[in-house]
Amino acid sequence: MDARTLVLCFACFLLVLSGFVFGYKFLKKRNYLLGVECLVIAFSASNALIFFLTNSGIAYEISHFLDAFSRGFGVPIISIIGLMAVTHGYKPSKSKDFLMFLVTFAATFVLILADFMVKPLPYFYVAMWSLFSIYLVYFASRLVGVGAYLQALGVIIAMLAGQAIASIYDFYKIPGDETNVVLNFYVLALSTWAFMLSQFYYGYGALERLKGSSEMLPAR
C-alpha cells in the first residue's frame, strides 16, 4: 500500500469513527435525526474504506448513494431539523423522523438515476450546502450569544471548510490531486466531514446545557 492510499484510508477511518461515536451520542440524547444521519455518514465512509482497500464495486455503489443522500438531503435538511432541537425547541415525533428519512432516501434515487438531474445535480448540491452554511452561521451566532465562543469558532471553521469542499467537488480540480499524499480532495473532504460531525455534537451540547439550566431556574 502506497503512502497516498494509507493516508486516504486513515481519513476514511477518522470519518467512520466520528460518525459512529457521535451518532451513538446523539441517539443517547434521543435526537434520532442527527444520530441516524451520523451513522449513515459512518456507513458510507466504511464502504468507501472497503472500496479503497479492495476496489469492490458494491462498496463503491453503496458509498456513492449514501454520499449523494448526505450531500443532497441528509446534512442540508435532516441535520438542520435535528439541530433545531436546541435552536428552536423543535423535536419531531419518531414517525415524522422515519418519514423524513423515507422521503429523502426516495428522493436520492431520483437525484442519481433521473436523466433530467444529470446537468443540474452539481449546482443542486452546492445550493443545498450553501443553505446549510447559512444555518450554521446562525447556529454559531447562538453559541456566541451564550458565551460558547470556542464551540462557535469550531462551527464556523467547519462551515467554511465544508462550503469549500462542496463548492470545488464538481467544479475544481486540486493541482496534483492524483499524486498528493495529503492535499488531495478525498483526504480533505473526509477530514472536513469528520471534524464537522464533532462540531455538531459539541455545539449542540453547549446550547442543550444552557436550555437545561434555564429550565431549572425558579419561576419569578
Side-chain angles (χ1 to χ4, degrees):
M1 182 183 296
D2 59 40
R4 187 178 186 277
T5 303
L6 183 63
V7 172
L8 187 56
C9 289
F10 179 71
C12 270
F13 175 74
L14 284 180
L15 184 52
V16 171
L17 184 64
S18 181
F20 279 124
V21 168
F22 294 112
Y24 172 73
K25 287 178 178 291
F26 275 122
L27 290 179
K28 285 186 67 177
K29 292 178 178 291
R30 297 187 177 182
N31 191 314
Y32 301 108
L33 292 176
L34 287 173
V36 173
E37 173 54 20
C38 286
L39 295 179
V40 166
I41 292 172
F43 189 58
S44 176
S46 299
N47 279 276
L49 179 58
I50 293 171
F51 170 72
F52 291 134
L53 290 172
T54 68
N55 204 32
S56 167
I58 295 176
Y60 173 82
E61 293 299 333
I62 293 173
S63 182
H64 173 69
F65 174 82
L66 295 178
D67 178 66
F69 166 77
S70 290
R71 291 173 64 198
F73 304 108
V75 173
I77 295 178
I78 289 177
S79 292
I80 286 179
I81 298 173
L83 291 171
M84 284 174 64
V86 289
T87 59
H88 294 77
Y90 176 68
K91 280 194 174 184
S93 64
K94 291 181 182 178
S95 60
K96 288 183 179 179
D97 289 349
F98 176 78
L99 184 60
M100 274 189 269
F101 277 105
L102 185 65
V103 170
T104 50
F105 269 111
T108 303
F109 280 105
V110 176
L111 286 185
I112 63 177
L113 296 177
D115 292 338
F116 66 83
M117 285 301 301
V118 173
K119 289 185 178 180
L121 186 57
Y123 302 95
F124 172 79
Y125 285 141
V126 172
M128 294 299 290
W129 202 276
S130 297
L131 291 174
F132 175 64
S133 291
I134 292 171
Y135 177 81
L136 285 188
V137 172
Y138 165 75
F139 188 70
S141 72
R142 291 291 300 270
L143 289 166
V144 169
V146 301
Y149 302 111
L150 185 60
Q151 289 85 353
L153 177 62
V155 168
I156 289 298
I157 292 173
M159 182 276 293
L160 292 173
Q163 186 64 46
I165 291 296
S167 299
I168 70 175
Y169 194 102
D170 295 298
F171 301 99
Y172 178 76
K173 185 176 181 180
I174 297 174
D177 189 64
E178 299 87 352
T179 56
N180 285 339
V181 174
V182 176
L183 296 179
N184 63 76
F185 176 79
Y186 287 109
V187 168
L188 295 175
L190 292 163
S191 302
T192 294
W193 278 49
F195 177 72
M196 179 181 69
L197 297 186
S198 71
Q199 298 314 297
F200 283 1
Y201 180 77
Y202 292 117
Y204 184 100
L207 291 179
E208 185 182 46
R209 286 190 294 273
L210 175 72
K211 181 181 177 184
S213 298
S214 64
E215 289 176 349
M216 293 175 63
L217 292 175
R220 294 183 178 181

